[in-house]
Amino acid sequence: MDKRFPQYDELDLPKVGEEVLKQWEAEDTFGQSLELRKGAPPFVFYEGPPSANGLPGIHHVMARAIKDIFCRYQTQKGHRVDRKAGWDTHGLPIELGVEKELGITKEDIGKKISIEEYNAACKKAVMRYTDVWNDMTRRIGFWLDLEKPYVTYHTKYIESVWHLLKKLYDEDLLYKGYTIQPYSPAAGTGLSSHELNQPGTYKPVKDTSAVALFKVKPDHASEFLFKDAFGDVFIMAWTTTPWTLPSNTALTVGPKLDYVRVKTFNPYTHEPQTVVLAKARLNAYFRPDQEQPMHAILSGALGVAEEDAFANYDKNGKLIPWQIIGEFYGHQLEGVRYEQLLPYATPEGGGDAFKVIGGDFVTTEDGTGVVHTAPSFGADDQRVARQHNIGSLTLVDLRGRFKPEVTDFAGEYVKAEYYTDGERAAEAIKQGRDKYLSVDERIAIKLKTEGRAFRVEKYEHNYPHCWRTDKPVLYYPLDSWFVRVTAKKDRLIALNKTINWKPESTGTGRFGNWLENLQDWNLSRSRYWGIPLPIWRTAEGDEELCIGSLKQLKEEIAKSVKAGVMAADPYASFKADDMSDANYDTVDLHRPYVDNIVLVSPSGKPMKRETDLIDVWFDSGSMPYAQWHYPFENEATFKEKFPAAFIAEGVDQTRGWFYTLHAIATLTQDSVAYRTVVSNGLVLDKVGQKMSKRLGNAVDPFKTLDQYGADAVRWYMISNASPWDNLKFDAEGITEVQRKFFRALFNTYNFFALYANIDGFEHDPSFLRWTPGSTEPANPALTELDRWVLARLNLLLIECDKAYSDYEPTVAARAIQEFVVEDMSNWYVRLNRRRFWKGEQGDDKKAAFQTLYRCLEVVAMISAPIAPFFSDRLYRDLTGKSVHLSNWPVQPAATVSGSEMVSAMRMIVFVSRCRR
RNA sequence: AGUCCUGUAGCUCAGUUGGUUAGAGCGCUACACUGAUAAUGUAGAGGUCCGCAGUUCAAAUCUGCGCAGGACUACCA
């Protein structure tokens, strides 16, 4: 018997995947598919670089499948789709991993270990899992050029980034400023706002909150507060960060808010006192049933009951009497002076500290309506203090510890989380307690005993955490370089409106709102392993130079050597204008090498490099240019491949890569960086919980691929939910996909192969030369059922074409599945079995074979983007060629009459079903 | 607190521009079939389409207000 069409005993998807993969590798099918489209119009795809520092998870399978689907589809549609892999190699995740491995902290770098050795360790560590990543990429069938990836630490890549920075600098879009920024003491660096906007950074925490009492100084401005005062007069201010209280230099009130003076007792010392707070916040701190009527005072006749309440106050009881003895507006408080709460130091830079000022950001939603203002540790605080010429007190160092001036707590971390468990235990012994008390708690105790606390309690709120170290972030004053993105806000918004977002709401909502509230991009990172900021400055900061290329750097070094500032050119071996890799390999632009370069200013002064590195997000946002070493090389390639037609990453990249691509493209090219962006949702476990190592519900991608095969996993992920919906990952769903879709397709093929081999079937395309729904006559041998299934197939083809080109793979997958399981397998094959069995040859039999062949062939082609392995096997078994080298099936134009045809045929099927 | 997404059968999800009695698969019950089928077919049970109000001849669908879950934002003292 002729075995032209291979028959199989059973369906083993993992085995099919493995065999097809070997075939691809043996004959370089990917390379062939690119070769085939050489000179064809390009479809530009950008691969977002993963960090090879961590292991891939199941969500990466999802993300990579989505990318692959549209690249394969566009290839079938006749486009050339180059896909260059990339690696994100710099930044905190790598540095922290290396620190942990070497058992050092940031402080040790440059001391216990040289920067050179440290960076070498980072470089070595970063590509640690590339093999695992490459393996996963291959096994899920994601075609990507892994041989020539772009790598962000390569000299050429860095040179391109420097060029972009210089371009920004020349257009006055790069500046240095001193501002309060999110700062991670654990990581030892400031953070950008989009790093703080990574998922999971804001976490609910319980902190010690305190309402502190600031003692008012009697003078002309505060005179009205002392009328009929009961004991000393205090202003109440709430804080969730008592460690900032030693740095307090002002109190801020809302000028238009109502405030009151309240006569009462201190709840801890039981001393008589008069406190000031916003009227709207009274019930938060005072029990209504303990209020003593105010009219007694106004009338001048003290009531007996009131006399009793204050005179008979029980120090051991919980009930504290109180009475409003004055009401006024916030602006009346402005200028009132108070005693420094914790007088450890005097404010830096002078200024007129320790007084009440007005600020429009004050609310009465919580707290006391008076904001404790520490200009060093709050952005609002700094701004308002600057306006009122009030100095600041930065009593915490860069590692998050109190400075020596804060005698009681000198050298201690301000957040307990910065200690390891062991260190905390040691501190507890030092404190002479069996349990460690944080500085927040001890400051609160100190305030209580000194009569400077009104209330101390635990308060649960969301607090930002460093996305890498998981430790709380502090707001800290830092000198940093910024990209002035706010200057181009309108363009960013306008260009965003031209981008096709999938789903649309991410672009208009999440991303659009983000652009509306744009802040300048903090580029500075005080670290070691990253792209150095190419700016050299004199000590006074009056002259500076931004370097945009190695050639320029060489020229400046030559000037410096000539002027005698530098002894020799450390990059002497590098030849400008020689673009060979060998030439570029002689240069390392990382620290510490660039730090050793001292340039000379026009006036002859030495200029040193600003020691900061740049935010790694700038690295990845630069990939459209730097992956081609543009503008130094490949200008034509860059121009052809910018902007991208399509990118896809997780929705968590909205403020990450999607943003940095958009920002850099808008600022440097006045263009979008991508025309369509698919932001896929999260992969959750089967009960809808986020997967994490901690919960132990993470799914191992390799095990899953081994067990089910890449096709089933991909088909399941795509058919189950739209890419942007969160996917509840349930392995049983994959089994179902295997059983339903793949088995039906497999069985249909096997049925076909069995009889085709018996009968020596030959494919004859001319036999079917007919357009469903058209007026041309069909081959009379085609039965109504043949024509029906061909019409259905035609509609399916049109639907899938539209779905793929609209980036709706789920619609395509579901339609194909429906056709295969219902129309083709259940109905067409079942109702036509006898035509395949019967002995005599003839046009009727031929019609059945040609029709089924056509169905299988088209199904293989249109499911190829989603299930690249099985579809390739099927197509090869039918035609002997790879489906990935095929063209998308030509679809006949008619659709309307086709659909009429389908509904008519539905009826026929219905009737035959009844007859059966 | 704000922005966005989601809410339809026990589970996973369809449901076009509003339009007969709201659907599929899985699971469940019963029967049938089994010459490609670790299948399949037929029948059945199972729904306050998250709630309330509105627009309309007509609302799962449109509008408003809520509720629940999720993601994201926030200088929150």
Side-chain angles (χ1 to χ4, degrees):
Chain A
M1 193 200 301
D2 184 5
K3 283 271 185 183
R4 265 214 39 224
F5 298 100
Q7 291 168 236
Y8 303 91
D9 293 336
E10 55 170 6
L11 175 62
D12 183 345
L13 284 174
K15 196 168 143 224
V16 171
E18 222 170 281
E19 289 169 1
V20 171
L21 190 58
K22 275 192 193 132
Q23 211 164 359
W24 286 353
E25 278 163 9
E27 62 187 37
D28 186 24
T29 319
F30 178 35
Q32 284 188 53
S33 87
L34 293 174
E35 191 59 31
L36 191 69
R37 305 298 183 198
K38 202 174 176 178
F43 175 82
V44 182
F45 164 75
Y46 290 163
E47 160 74 355
S51 173
N53 185 52
L55 286 166
I58 193 81
H59 54 288
H60 294 112
V61 175
M62 174 82 173
R64 307 211 133 204
I66 290 166
K67 297 174 182 182
D68 191 51
I69 285 168
F70 299 108
C71 290
R72 285 186 190 272
Y73 166 72
Q74 293 292 347
T75 304
Q76 284 180 292
K77 291 289 280 189
H79 293 109
R80 191 177 84 256
V81 189
D82 294 323
R83 295 94 127 170
K84 197 178 178 68
W87 297 108
D88 190 16
T89 57
H90 285 139
L92 222 43
I94 292 113
E95 289 206 45
L96 294 172
V98 168
E99 282 182 17
K100 205 172 163 188
E101 237 166 80
L102 301 178
I104 58 168
T105 68
K106 193 193 168 199
E107 301 274 280
D108 299 326
I109 304 165
K111 293 175 194 153
K112 284 191 194 164
I113 178 172
S114 72
I115 296 174
E116 192 171 358
E117 288 164 336
Y118 174 78
N119 273 356
C122 288
K123 189 171 177 175
K124 205 174 140 198
V126 69
M127 300 307 259
R128 175 174 326 173
Y129 297 122
T130 44
D131 289 349
V132 183
W133 272 90
N134 287 345
D135 188 37
M136 184 203 72
T137 304
R138 280 203 335 271
R139 288 191 45 199
I140 62 169
F142 180 28
W143 275 358
L144 194 63
D145 181 0
L146 299 166
E147 305 299 318
K148 296 188 291 292
Y150 63 92
V151 178
T152 59
Y153 72 64
H154 284 170
T155 305
K156 285 186 174 182
Y157 197 97
I158 295 174
E159 189 182 26
S160 287
V161 172
W162 276 15
H163 170 260
L164 293 168
L165 290 167
K166 168 96 160 102
K167 197 163 175 183
L168 295 176
Y169 183 88
D170 289 345
E171 289 174 35
D172 193 29
L173 294 169
L174 208 57
Y175 69 95
K176 190 174 190 178
Y178 184 76
T179 55
I180 307 296
Q181 292 154 29
Y183 174 82
S184 172
T189 181
L191 301 170
S192 70
S193 47
H194 49 258
E195 279 174 312
L196 216 53
N197 290 335
Q198 291 304 299
T201 50
Y202 277 82
K203 288 191 239 190
V205 289
K206 269 193 177 169
D207 274 330
T208 301
S209 75
V211 174
L213 296 170
F214 293 83
K215 191 171 175 185
V216 177
K217 281 184 178 171
D219 63 11
H220 183 68
S222 64
E223 210 179 320
F224 72 103
L225 294 173
F226 286 89
K227 188 172 177 288
D228 300 321
F230 189 56
D232 289 326
V233 178
F234 297 97
I235 297 173
M236 288 169 62
W238 179 61
T239 182
T240 53
T241 50
W243 62 266
T244 61
L245 286 170
S247 300
N248 171 282
T249 54
L251 292 172
T252 310
V253 297
K256 290 177 190 162
L257 300 175
D258 286 330
Y259 290 81
V260 289
R261 279 191 298 146
V262 177
K263 168 183 176 177
T264 188
F265 292 97
N266 185 291
Y268 303 107
T269 62
H270 314 290
E271 296 294 322
Q273 61 180 17
T274 299
V275 296
V276 174
L277 76 161
K279 191 182 179 187
R281 299 301 301 163
L282 270 173
N283 4 353
Y285 299 99
F286 298 99
R287 287 181 55 143
D289 62 356
Q290 293 302 306
E291 182 175 9
Q292 309 303 316
M294 192 176 169
H295 60 81
I297 294 250
L298 291 174
S299 67
L302 298 180
V304 178
E306 180 211 332
E307 202 63 58
D308 287 350
F310 285 97
N312 301 336
Y313 167 57
D314 176 6
K315 293 185 175 182
N316 300 316
K318 293 229 160 140
L319 302 176
I320 303 175
W322 60 280
Q323 181 179 55
I324 296 172
I325 57 170
E327 189 171 338
F328 37 87
Y329 287 111
H331 66 81
Q332 292 175 264
L333 286 167
E334 288 179 46
V336 168
R337 298 182 174 279
Y338 61 91
E339 290 180 10
Q340 188 175 4
L341 185 72
L342 297 163
Y344 291 115
T346 49
E348 302 139 13
D352 189 14
F354 311 120
K355 67 174 183 184
V356 179
I357 55 181
D360 52 11
F361 59 89
V362 180
T363 68
T364 54
E365 275 160 34
D366 44 26
T368 62
V370 182
V371 176
H372 143 60
T373 303
S376 297
F377 305 115
D380 270 339
D381 305 38
Q382 194 219 18
R383 205 189 62 234
V384 74
R386 191 173 277 176
Q387 280 166 12
H388 290 87
N389 185 33
I390 285 174
S392 59
L393 274 169
T394 308
L395 295 177
V396 176
D397 69 16
L398 284 165
R399 288 194 56 196
R401 297 174 305 195
F402 273 118
K403 291 182 179 171
E405 301 94 287
V406 190
T407 48
D408 298 326
F409 309 104
E412 286 195 51
Y413 284 115
V414 300
K415 289 266 177 194
E417 289 87 342
Y418 299 151
Y419 284 110
T420 62
D421 290 344
E423 285 168 348
R424 253 203 301 277
E427 282 294 319
I429 292 164
K430 247 199 266 175
Q431 291 176 10
R433 292 189 171 87
D434 45 354
K435 185 176 163 264
Y436 170 76
L437 286 188
S438 69
V439 291
D440 280 349
E441 288 160 327
R442 278 151 54 224
I443 286 173
I445 292 169
K446 184 174 159 72
L447 293 177
K448 279 184 188 175
T449 53
E450 291 176 359
R452 296 305 179 88
F454 189 85
R455 182 172 292 181
V456 173
E457 61 190 0
K458 294 283 180 198
Y459 178 76
E460 188 165 353
H461 63 147
N462 282 328
Y463 196 84
H465 290 70
C466 173
W467 64 301
R468 278 300 162 190
T469 61
D470 239 18
K471 305 276 185 180
V473 157
L474 301 182
Y475 288 88
Y476 200 89
L478 294 171
D479 244 345
S480 295
W481 285 86
F482 288 86
V483 181
R484 205 185 303 277
V485 278
T486 48
K488 300 277 182 175
K489 183 174 161 181
D490 294 344
R491 281 304 284 161
L492 285 160
I493 291 169
L495 287 168
N496 179 45
K497 288 187 175 144
T498 69
I499 296 171
N500 177 29
W501 282 83
K502 299 295 286 189
E504 196 195 339
S505 59
T506 302
T508 52
R510 189 178 291 193
F511 195 65
N513 291 342
W514 163 258
L515 293 178
E516 294 290 342
N517 302 311
L518 205 61
Q519 307 269 325
D520 278 345
W521 179 356
N522 178 6
L523 212 55
S524 292
R525 295 294 178 275
S526 333
R527 297 291 320 192
Y528 299 94
W529 178 239
I531 298 184
L533 198 62
I535 296 175
W536 274 259
R537 266 194 164 198
T538 55
E540 299 77 26
D542 53 348
E543 289 175 89
E544 65 186 30
L545 182 67
C546 181
I547 298 289
S549 69
L550 261 165
K551 189 178 177 183
Q552 187 195 359
L553 183 60
K554 290 272 291 182
E555 288 163 7
E556 292 298 331
I557 288 172
K559 280 188 208 166
S560 174
V561 171
K562 200 173 167 197
V565 175
M566 281 181 85
D569 177 359
Y571 299 146
S573 55
F574 179 81
K575 292 185 283 295
D577 300 322
D578 175 355
M579 293 298 154
S580 70
D581 288 343
N583 187 37
Y584 271 82
D585 283 345
T586 64
V587 175
D588 189 338
L589 295 177
H590 287 94
R591 299 183 70 183
Y593 312 106
V594 276
D595 298 338
N596 299 335
I597 296 170
V598 183
L599 300 180
V600 63
S601 76
S603 70
K605 284 191 274 188
M607 295 193 293
K608 288 194 168 172
R609 197 185 70 80
E610 291 285 290
T611 50
D612 286 336
L613 303 178
I614 63 162
D615 182 2
V616 272
W617 287 106
F618 198 97
D619 294 17
S620 51
S622 304
M623 67 69 73
Y625 329 93
Q627 67 172 332
W628 304 115
H629 192 210
Y630 174 82
F632 307 102
E633 282 184 84
N634 303 315
E635 187 165 346
T637 310
F638 166 74
K639 292 215 159 120
E640 188 188 65
K641 294 186 191 305
F642 182 87
F646 159 68
I647 60 170
E649 301 291 334
V651 67
D652 56 344
Q653 291 298 328
T654 306
R655 276 133 179 151
W657 194 52
F658 297 160
Y659 170 64
T660 59
L661 277 177
H662 187 60
I664 295 171
T666 304
L667 267 59
T668 65
Q669 319 293 319
D670 194 37
S671 163
V672 296
Y674 43 88
R675 297 213 165 87
T676 290
V677 50
V678 174
S679 80
N680 52 274
L682 301 167
V683 179
L684 308 169
D685 74 3
K686 63 177 176 182
V687 287
Q689 280 227 305
K690 203 170 169 173
M691 286 190 192
S692 72
K693 279 188 197 133
R694 190 171 50 80
L695 293 170
N697 60 350
V699 174
D700 180 350
F702 292 97
K703 278 189 193 152
T704 311
L705 291 173
D706 284 341
Q707 195 173 349
Y708 304 101
D711 284 327
V713 176
R714 287 172 62 140
W715 197 275
Y716 162 70
M717 286 179 153
I718 296 304
S719 65
N720 189 63
S722 286
W724 32 90
D725 285 335
N726 290 345
L727 174 71
K728 288 184 196 165
F729 188 89
D730 185 355
E732 279 188 37
I734 309 178
T735 321
E736 196 181 318
V737 158
Q738 261 180 342
R739 280 207 322 263
K740 301 293 292 184
F741 174 67
F742 285 104
R743 184 153 293 144
L745 187 53
F746 168 82
N747 285 333
T748 306
Y749 166 77
N750 245 7
F751 169 83
F752 167 82
L754 175 65
Y755 293 102
N757 286 333
I758 291 169
D759 284 331
F761 166 83
E762 288 292 339
H763 178 220
D764 175 10
S766 67
F767 194 90
L768 290 181
R769 198 150 288 163
W770 168 69
T771 304
S774 73
T775 49
E776 67 180 292
N779 187 328
L782 292 174
T783 66
E784 294 221 296
L785 275 167
D786 293 337
R787 278 181 266 171
W788 167 77
V789 81
L790 289 169
R792 281 285 297 143
L793 184 70
N794 185 37
L795 282 188
L796 175 69
L797 188 52
I798 292 162
E799 188 177 358
C800 286
D801 196 24
K802 185 173 186 315
Y804 284 130
S805 61
D806 288 346
Y807 301 92
E808 296 273 2
T810 308
V811 172
R814 285 174 177 170
I816 296 168
Q817 191 164 308
E818 163 91 12
F819 176 82
V820 166
V821 175
E822 294 300 324
D823 299 329
M824 187 170 78
S825 173
N826 273 355
W827 292 118
Y828 185 76
V829 172
R830 182 136 59 89
L831 295 175
N832 289 290
R833 268 185 292 211
R834 283 176 183 79
R835 294 165 71 199
F836 292 90
W837 301 337
K838 67 180 177 185
E840 83 264 24
Q841 304 296 321
D843 272 4
D844 180 57
K845 189 172 196 174
K846 197 171 176 189
F849 268 119
Q850 299 294 350
T851 301
L852 189 54
Y853 179 93
R854 176 66 179 163
C855 288
L856 287 167
E857 183 191 27
V858 170
V859 166
M861 289 192 275
I862 62 181
S863 48
I866 305 175
F869 297 104
F870 185 80
S871 64
D872 203 23
R873 163 65 58 85
L874 178 59
Y875 195 80
R876 281 174 198 261
D877 286 345
L878 290 168
T879 69
K881 288 178 290 195
S882 171
V883 73
H884 303 296
L885 304 176
S886 74
N887 290 322
W888 184 262
V890 181
Q891 62 210 31
T895 56
V896 176
S897 45
S899 69
E900 284 163 5
M901 178 90 187
V902 168
S903 57
M905 284 306 159
R906 275 284 194 201
M907 286 304 292
I908 293 169
V909 170
F910 182 72
V911 171
S912 14
R913 185 197 327 175
C914 296
R915 254 204 329 248
R916 186 175 177 275

